Amino acid sequence: MIEKLEEIITSSSEYRMLAGELESGKLAKTIMLISKDSDYSFEFARLLSCMIFNNGLNNGILEKSESYLKVKASTHPDLKVFPIKDKLLVADSGQIVEESAIKPIFSERKVFIIKNFEASMEAAQNKLLKTLEEPQSNVYFILTTSNVNLVLPTIRSRCNKIELGRLDRDKIEQCIGNIDNLQMVTALSEGYIGKAERLSQNQNLDTIFNSVLSLVTKLKSSKELLVCSKPLIDFSSEFDLIINILSLIFEDLLAIKSGGKVKLEFCKQSLLPVSREYTVKAIVEIRKLIDKAAKEISYNCNFILVIENLLLNILEVKYLCK
């Protein structure tokens, strides 16, 4: 998978653009990679650091140099990856400031990758301001974030912000390879390779998906609520996945009603009769309810209570919007 992902990244328009900037001497010293897929943005950052150490591409190809091999093995002495733990702390920022002033050991340049920058403490971000504003001539900073709005404006203004697009279905399939539920994984991944990989390794995925699909197709009245929700209780730790599936199903119901493209093509025949039970207005309102339920769980609300309330609300909207 890693080799296929590398090929996809190094041939992407964003990577090629940065290669051109590096080779022309115009590459920004501080780059912010923006993507909801933290796995993808981190691998992009690593491959960008390879290109920086190599001083560009060789005839449009990322050379498998000694620096490249050291980066891939996580042993390059001039590549520093932070945070050390879950999020960037003030101590981490202090270490970055100190190490950025030290000359490179192996290469002509030094690269710092700071992952999930949006999770950094505000004080940790502030401590880096001067270093990011006036970096050493041979030092590059690559920040990755899933939410640029959680990064201090003073930091954002010092970065060349690059939004990494989602991968299309074919590229996701190339990376994941031949698995039994490939269509399901690809559809649920939403174009994020990191998410696709996690889904492909989830042994409960088929069971959870079929339980949610069964819930939607069988939920006719409050009498069926307990029976329909019971299979999901065993998977309370998978609430994000349950909501993801539920949201995608109703998105496809809306697509069927409006003649749009269905993402869950492999179960379209099961969704066709269900689509006739809901009006477009009902589906729109239900999707709002699903988003609300996701937020409630993020606030540590009770899983069973949230699920049961969501199903009751779906039935109510379905009835009111006939």
Short mmCIF file of all heavy atoms in Angstrom, two decimals, residues 1-2 39 176 185 189 192-202:
data_model
loop_
_atom_site.label_atom_id
_atom_site.label_comp_id
_atom_site.label_asym_id
_atom_site.label_seq_id
_atom_site.Cartn_x
_atom_site.Cartn_y
_atom_site.Cartn_z
N MET A 1 0.82 -1.21 0.00
CA MET A 1 0.00 0.00 0.00
C MET A 1 0.86 1.26 0.00
O MET A 1 0.57 2.22 -0.69
CB MET A 1 -0.92 0.00 1.22
CG MET A 1 -1.68 1.30 1.38
SD MET A 1 -2.77 1.31 2.79
CE MET A 1 -3.11 3.04 2.93
N ILE A 2 1.96 1.27 0.80
CA ILE A 2 2.80 2.45 0.92
C ILE A 2 3.40 2.85 -0.42
O ILE A 2 3.45 4.04 -0.77
CB ILE A 2 3.91 2.22 1.97
CG1 ILE A 2 3.30 2.04 3.36
CG2 ILE A 2 4.89 3.39 1.97
CD1 ILE A 2 2.56 3.25 3.87
N ASP A 39 -3.33 10.74 8.06
CA ASP A 39 -2.37 9.75 7.55
C ASP A 39 -1.81 10.19 6.20
O ASP A 39 -0.61 10.09 5.95
CB ASP A 39 -3.02 8.37 7.42
CG ASP A 39 -3.48 7.82 8.75
OD1 ASP A 39 -2.62 7.40 9.54
OD2 ASP A 39 -4.69 7.84 9.02
N ILE A 176 -5.67 0.15 -1.47
CA ILE A 176 -6.21 -0.87 -0.58
C ILE A 176 -6.00 -2.27 -1.14
O ILE A 176 -5.71 -3.22 -0.42
CB ILE A 176 -7.71 -0.63 -0.30
CG1 ILE A 176 -7.88 0.70 0.46
CG2 ILE A 176 -8.30 -1.77 0.52
CD1 ILE A 176 -7.15 0.76 1.78
N VAL A 185 -15.70 -0.32 1.60
CA VAL A 185 -14.60 0.45 2.17
C VAL A 185 -14.35 1.72 1.38
O VAL A 185 -14.18 2.81 1.95
CB VAL A 185 -13.31 -0.40 2.21
CG1 VAL A 185 -12.09 0.46 2.52
CG2 VAL A 185 -13.45 -1.52 3.24
N SER A 189 -14.92 5.51 2.84
CA SER A 189 -13.67 6.23 3.10
C SER A 189 -13.77 7.71 2.77
O SER A 189 -12.99 8.52 3.27
CB SER A 189 -12.53 5.62 2.29
OG SER A 189 -12.68 5.92 0.91
N TYR A 192 -10.53 9.43 1.72
CA TYR A 192 -9.41 9.53 2.66
C TYR A 192 -8.73 8.17 2.80
O TYR A 192 -9.34 7.21 3.30
CB TYR A 192 -9.91 10.02 4.03
CG TYR A 192 -10.57 11.38 3.98
CD1 TYR A 192 -11.84 11.56 4.51
CD2 TYR A 192 -9.92 12.47 3.41
CE1 TYR A 192 -12.45 12.81 4.48
CE2 TYR A 192 -10.52 13.71 3.37
CZ TYR A 192 -11.79 13.89 3.90
OH TYR A 192 -12.39 15.12 3.86
N ILE A 193 -7.49 8.09 2.39
CA ILE A 193 -6.79 6.80 2.37
C ILE A 193 -6.55 6.26 3.78
O ILE A 193 -6.62 5.04 4.01
CB ILE A 193 -5.45 6.92 1.59
CG1 ILE A 193 -4.82 5.53 1.42
CG2 ILE A 193 -4.49 7.86 2.27
CD1 ILE A 193 -5.68 4.56 0.66
N GLY A 194 -6.28 7.14 4.73
CA GLY A 194 -6.08 6.68 6.10
C GLY A 194 -7.34 6.02 6.64
O GLY A 194 -7.29 4.98 7.29
N LYS A 195 -8.48 6.64 6.36
CA LYS A 195 -9.76 6.09 6.80
C LYS A 195 -10.03 4.76 6.09
O LYS A 195 -10.52 3.81 6.70
CB LYS A 195 -10.88 7.08 6.50
CG LYS A 195 -12.24 6.68 7.03
CD LYS A 195 -13.26 7.79 6.79
CE LYS A 195 -14.62 7.41 7.34
NZ LYS A 195 -15.62 8.49 7.12
N ALA A 196 -9.71 4.70 4.80
CA ALA A 196 -9.91 3.47 4.03
C ALA A 196 -9.10 2.32 4.61
O ALA A 196 -9.59 1.19 4.72
CB ALA A 196 -9.53 3.70 2.57
N GLU A 197 -7.88 2.61 5.00
CA GLU A 197 -7.03 1.56 5.57
C GLU A 197 -7.60 1.06 6.89
O GLU A 197 -7.63 -0.15 7.15
CB GLU A 197 -5.60 2.08 5.77
CG GLU A 197 -4.65 1.02 6.28
CD GLU A 197 -3.23 1.52 6.45
OE1 GLU A 197 -3.03 2.75 6.43
OE2 GLU A 197 -2.33 0.69 6.63
N ARG A 198 -8.07 1.99 7.74
CA ARG A 198 -8.65 1.58 9.03
C ARG A 198 -9.91 0.74 8.81
O ARG A 198 -10.13 -0.26 9.50
CB ARG A 198 -8.97 2.82 9.88
CG ARG A 198 -7.72 3.53 10.40
CD ARG A 198 -8.08 4.57 11.44
NE ARG A 198 -8.88 5.65 10.88
CZ ARG A 198 -8.38 6.73 10.29
NH1 ARG A 198 -7.07 6.86 10.15
NH2 ARG A 198 -9.17 7.68 9.83
N LEU A 199 -10.73 1.15 7.85
CA LEU A 199 -11.95 0.40 7.56
C LEU A 199 -11.64 -0.99 7.04
O LEU A 199 -12.31 -1.97 7.41
CB LEU A 199 -12.80 1.16 6.53
CG LEU A 199 -13.51 2.42 7.01
CD1 LEU A 199 -14.05 3.21 5.83
CD2 LEU A 199 -14.64 2.08 7.97
N SER A 200 -10.62 -1.10 6.20
CA SER A 200 -10.26 -2.39 5.62
C SER A 200 -9.78 -3.37 6.68
O SER A 200 -9.84 -4.59 6.49
CB SER A 200 -9.19 -2.21 4.54
OG SER A 200 -7.95 -1.83 5.12
N GLN A 201 -9.32 -2.85 7.82
CA GLN A 201 -8.81 -3.69 8.90
C GLN A 201 -9.84 -3.93 10.00
O GLN A 201 -9.58 -4.63 10.97
CB GLN A 201 -7.55 -3.06 9.49
CG GLN A 201 -6.39 -2.97 8.50
CD GLN A 201 -5.22 -2.18 9.03
OE1 GLN A 201 -5.27 -1.64 10.14
NE2 GLN A 201 -4.15 -2.11 8.26
N ASN A 202 -11.03 -3.33 9.83
CA ASN A 202 -12.09 -3.47 10.84
C ASN A 202 -12.86 -4.77 10.59
O ASN A 202 -13.62 -4.89 9.63
CB ASN A 202 -13.04 -2.27 10.77
CG ASN A 202 -14.02 -2.24 11.93
OD1 ASN A 202 -14.41 -3.27 12.47
ND2 ASN A 202 -14.41 -1.04 12.33
#
